[in-house]
Amino acid sequence: MSRSPRSAAARRSWGQDDTGCTILHVDMDAFFVSVELLDHPELRGRPVIVGGELRGVVAAASYEARAYGVHSAMPAGRARALCPQAVVLRGRHERYTEVSREVMAILSEVTPELEQVSIDEAFLDVAGAVRRMGSPTEIGRWIRREVQARTGVPASVGVAGSKHVAKLASTHAKPDGMLLVPLDATVAFLHSLPVGALWGVGEKSREVLERRGIDTVAELAATPLATLHRMLGTAAGQRLHELAWGQDPRQVQTRRAEKSVGTESTFAQDITDRGTLERILLRQAHECAARLRAGQVLTARVAIKVRHADFTTLSRSHTLAAPTDLAHEVYTASRDLLAGVAIPAAGIRLLGLRAERLIGGGEGVQMALDEDPHQALAERAMDGVRARFGPTVLQPASLLDRDRRSTTATRAGDIS
């Protein structure tokens, strides 16, 4: 889907009647770059790339860099070739999280019906705030004004009758704008878009559709449902047909159930030594386990991702005998998974660890007969020390003298 800016006139072209359009999607514009510009105002107006300073991938790009074809998730080498004059900055996840919390605090002043879906975007159902704050579009303007004034970063807002359309609207409002899609204009708006704009249309399904001459949402909507079922499968075909006609019953969820926590590292130099990779897994296991405990959840499955020097990527997973939030058990499972992976002569470029199938820590999970209670006490004590003195003050002994030698070009962590 095109993300090119649209004129103010185009943003208003769908009408002014926001009756019934109580769903807002708030999306921060080039968020990581916007935060960096707060601390580096001298870079405003210049092409800026966050992440990918050595061999990783681009985490974010300014609109000036995007004009050269640079985009997020692009390999760093390709980004530098397209825009050699770009200023490349190392990502600072803690700083982005700090500003994200400020933004979400502002949104929570509007309504408790708030669903944060990532570090830089959220849905709001403002039906309960209209009497106090005005119409949904007035609320959208208030949000944009307050976020800019209090945090210094711009936000785009989409206003619509459903989450799917509100998200599309905020995308088309970028950069730094707002777009209302009234209920009676929903289908016309959707049918003006390329088929790739629909939620759930990935690269493979888009290629399948385009091979059949279906390039737009309007063409998909006109395709018989039985044909879509044959092309995409019953479930996917049904869902896309409904979205193409503006049917999206999903509600704003005030508490989103986390599905996994994970972290991955892209190395400055390809690694061939298995012991080094195991030490990286150990560090990653402690990071994931600490976040599991902070979220009061347990993991029932551990997965690893391995990317070779030639970009061949594979994944392996293992279901645990009992759910856990302990690094020792997460590491043991991930190390065993890595043992089943052959390390090519050219080495490993990226290694990731993910804790999946999360369940609430209070759901009465039975302790395994051979579980060591001292291990749990030790790891929880480490949490307290790190919370007080910083995340690097206490580490497993095997990492203390080697951590510098496995310095990574990119480290990323997420919860989804």
Side-chain angles (χ1 to χ4, degrees), residues 43-60:
L43 297 179
R44 293 189 183 278
R46 299 178 60 183
V48 176
I49 296 173
V50 174
E53 62 276 6
L54 291 177
R55 301 182 60 214
V57 296
V58 173

Side-chain angles (χ1 to χ4, degrees), residues 33 44 66 97-99 117 132 164-165 171 174 208 212 256 265 281 310 314 350 368 371 382 394 404 407:
V33 172
R44 293 189 183 278
R66 295 182 195 187
T97 301
E98 174 189 351
V99 178
V117 293
R132 174 171 56 89
H164 179 238
V165 178
T171 298
K174 288 176 175 286
V208 170
R212 296 292 296 270
R256 205 164 59 104
S265 304
L281 274 182
D310 63 359
L314 55 87
L350 175 148
E371 185 172 320
M382 290 171 65
L394 191 60
R404 290 293 179 187
T407 299

Side-chain angles (χ1 to χ4, degrees), residues 139-368:
I139 294 172
R141 284 191 287 269
W142 182 91
I143 288 172
R144 294 185 59 240
R145 183 173 62 249
E146 292 299 311
V147 169
Q148 178 72 60
R150 297 195 219 173
T151 70
V153 296
S156 292
V157 176
V159 185
S162 69
K163 292 171 71 173
H164 179 238
V165 178
K167 181 173 176 62
L168 289 173
S170 69
T171 298
H172 280 256
K174 288 176 175 286
D176 194 18
M178 183 173 74
L179 174 63
L180 162 69
V181 181
L183 292 179
D184 60 3
T186 295
V187 172
F189 170 71
L190 289 170
H191 288 189
S192 72
L193 302 176
V195 71
L198 289 181
W199 173 75
V201 176
E203 184 176 350
K204 292 184 64 175
S205 55
R206 180 177 56 79
E207 290 175 354
V208 170
L209 291 167
E210 290 180 351
R211 281 200 299 269
R212 296 292 296 270
I214 301 174
D215 299 313
T216 68
V217 175
E219 290 168 342
L220 186 145
T223 302
L225 191 55
T227 301
L228 294 177
H229 287 175
R230 288 194 299 270
M231 294 170 56
L232 304 169
T234 302
Q238 183 73 35
R239 183 180 67 251
L240 292 181
H241 183 267
E242 292 171 353
L243 291 177
W245 286 103
Q247 301 169 20
D248 178 19
R250 294 176 300 158
Q251 302 297 309
V252 172
Q253 299 177 336
T254 56
R255 182 174 177 82
R256 205 164 59 104
E258 292 87 0
K259 298 177 182 178
S260 66
V261 298
T263 184
E264 60 184 40
S265 304
T266 301
F267 310 124
Q269 295 180 335
D270 298 325
I271 296 176
T272 58
D273 179 64
R274 187 174 294 274
T276 300
L277 293 170
E278 289 178 349
R279 287 190 292 275
I280 293 167
L281 274 182
L282 178 60
R283 172 178 54 75
Q284 293 177 338
H286 276 276
E287 289 182 13
C288 288
R291 290 163 58 201
L292 290 171
R293 293 189 292 270
Q296 298 182 327
V297 291
L298 306 172
T299 178
R301 184 173 67 187
V302 172
I304 63 170
K305 179 169 76 171
V306 180
R307 179 167 295 156
H308 295 174
D310 63 359
F311 282 88
T312 299
T313 303
L314 55 87
S315 59
R316 299 286 186 270
S317 64
H318 172 72
T319 299
L320 302 173
T324 186
D325 61 2
L326 299 181
H328 173 72
E329 296 177 12
V330 172
Y331 168 65
T332 299
S334 63
R335 182 193 59 198
D336 291 345
L337 290 171
L338 183 64
V341 175
I343 300 176
I348 300 298
R349 176 187 180 89
L350 175 148
L351 181 63
L353 171 62
R354 184 167 292 274
E356 303 175 337
R357 291 186 183 175
L358 305 190
I359 63 173
E363 295 184 15
V365 177
Q366 182 175 346
M367 179 182 288

